[in-house]
Amino acid sequence: MLSSITPLGQRGRGMSWARTVVAFWVGALIAGAVVFGLLGWIGESIGIDRLNPWYTIGLLVAAGSLDLAGVKPPGLHRQVDEDWLGRYRDWVVGLGFGAQLGAGFATIIPSFGTWAMLLVALGIGFPYAMFIGIAFGAGRSLLLFSTRSVRSTSSLADRMRRFTHAEDAARRAALAGYATVLVLMVVVNVT
């Protein structure tokens, strides 16, 4: 998907990259807010809306450990439908792709951190879960902005090569994020 929604690709289809990206961002934010907000509301409805901080710590430790061990998270094994690119208007493609990624579980789930966030949303209650979802949707949209300078096939190949080489760094950054949140939660709840 990332290699498809570039200024080069969108121009070739007679579409606007900027309009697609803005629609993607809106779709991801709305889907994140709705899905995570709904999970928070469900958690409140069944009485688990007052999240025990140790529950979150346990989820983060489990998610980080499984990711570190290289275990593949369960979930759908599909990406967004690239046939949409030539079939629908740019804003429809952006909105649809963004909504699928912002929902968290409608496409390939790359990390157990996604499942941990969905479970935290269930236990944190509404509206806090909705805010987590908005942040999640925003995070899923950020990489798309990095394609703004792709104007030729060689710059596209270079960008994709950089992303491939950055996978390990991204994995380490995610684990550092788990560790940071974990330490902060322990410090806040022990003191």
Side-chain angles (χ1 to χ4, degrees):
M1 185 266 322
L2 187 61
S3 63
S4 301
I5 301 178
T6 65
L8 174 68
Q10 290 301 83
R11 188 175 60 241
R13 287 185 279 279
M15 297 181 179
S16 164
W17 176 82
R19 194 169 30 245
T20 306
V21 169
V22 168
F24 185 102
W25 197 67
V26 168
L29 294 179
I30 290 171
V34 169
V35 168
F36 283 71
L38 182 61
L39 286 171
W41 178 79
I42 289 169
E44 283 183 13
S45 298
I46 61 176
I48 59 170
D49 63 317
R50 298 296 174 243
L51 184 63
N52 180 328
W54 296 105
Y55 165 81
T56 303
I57 291 168
L59 285 173
L60 291 172
V61 167
S65 299
L66 290 167
D67 284 346
L68 188 60
V71 177
K72 298 289 181 205
L76 298 174
H77 294 286
R78 66 174 283 278
Q79 278 290 11
V80 293
D81 186 352
E82 289 197 16
D83 290 341
W84 284 28
L85 292 167
R87 188 176 304 152
Y88 301 113
R89 294 178 185 258
D90 47 17
W91 66 269
V92 174
V93 170
L95 201 61
F97 283 15
Q100 290 177 66
L101 287 166
F105 58 84
T107 60
I108 292 172
I109 297 173
S111 164
F112 277 96
T114 302
W115 287 116
M117 287 186 65
L118 290 164
L119 290 171
V120 166
L122 186 66
I124 203 168
F126 186 86
Y128 306 107
M130 184 180 71
F131 296 127
I132 290 173
I134 291 168
F136 181 82
R140 296 293 298 256
S141 303
L142 289 177
L143 271 180
L144 209 51
F145 290 101
S146 69
T147 66
R148 74 185 173 283
S149 63
V150 173
R151 306 249 187 265
S152 67
T153 55
S154 61
S155 65
L156 175 61
D158 181 53
R159 183 63 41 110
M160 292 302 106
R161 200 172 19 262
R162 282 193 219 164
F163 283 134
T164 301
H165 289 141
E167 268 185 60
D168 286 337
R171 188 176 285 86
R172 286 191 301 273
L175 292 172
Y178 288 141
T180 301
V181 172
L182 182 62
V183 167
L184 288 171
M185 293 211 53
V186 168
V187 167
V188 167
N189 288 293
V190 171
T191 56

